[in-house]
Amino acid sequence: MSSSLIRCLLAVYALSESFEVVASKDVAHLLGVKRPTIHRSLEILQRKGLIQKAPYGDIHLTDDGMRMAQTLERQRDDIAVLFARRFGLASEEGTAAAFALMSCLSNESLARLQQAT
């Protein structure tokens, strides 16, 4: 999954943890991008069965989306900590590196990185 889709899914997850209603404008605001960009990402996440979204309506994670978001969040956090502890990267840089790796490495390689923390 691309870095932008991972970020979008995790934004929906974070917002749904705090608010009953999640709208695309909220996701766009959280990520600091324009709404058309978010709409495209949300459409892809919906086709993948990770979210449910009514046209111009609320966004909800599916059970699969919730599980994937929780897994991705753990991976992101573990890899970001690894980069901070082992290489002295700032938090923002470690998180950016984590997203980049998560979008291009296999699950096996990501699991190895997580074990290194």
Side-chain angles (χ1 to χ4, degrees), residues 41-117:
S41 294
L42 292 172
E43 287 173 3
I44 294 168
L45 292 173
Q46 188 167 17
R47 282 196 306 264
K48 290 179 173 286
L50 301 174
I51 65 164
Q52 293 176 337
K53 181 184 177 305
Y56 306 103
D58 300 342
I59 303 163
H60 301 279
L61 290 168
T62 63
D63 290 342
D64 287 345
M66 178 69 74
R67 281 189 293 277
M68 179 168 277
Q70 290 169 339
T71 298
L72 291 169
E73 186 176 62
R74 274 191 305 277
Q75 285 178 338
R76 181 204 58 205
D77 293 348
D78 289 347
I79 294 169
V81 166
L82 171 70
F83 279 104
R85 288 184 181 161
R86 296 251 174 114
F87 305 109
L89 292 184
S91 177
E92 300 82 24
E93 290 177 324
T95 300
F99 279 122
L101 291 173
M102 291 166 63
S103 66
C104 64
L105 292 180
S106 68
N107 287 335
E108 181 181 327
S109 294
L110 291 170
R112 286 182 187 165
L113 282 174
Q114 281 183 277
Q115 290 172 357
T117 59

Side-chain angles (χ1 to χ4, degrees), residues 4-5 7-16 21-35 37-39 41-42 45 51 53 59:
S4 61
L5 288 179
R7 288 174 191 267
C8 186
L9 182 64
L10 290 180
V12 172
Y13 176 63
L15 290 166
S16 67
V21 176
V22 176
S24 60
K25 67 179 177 145
D26 301 323
V27 178
H29 179 74
L30 181 63
L31 295 176
V33 298
K34 304 259 186 229
R35 286 178 70 183
T37 301
I38 290 304
H39 283 287
S41 294
L42 292 172
L45 292 173
I51 65 164
K53 181 184 177 305
I59 303 163

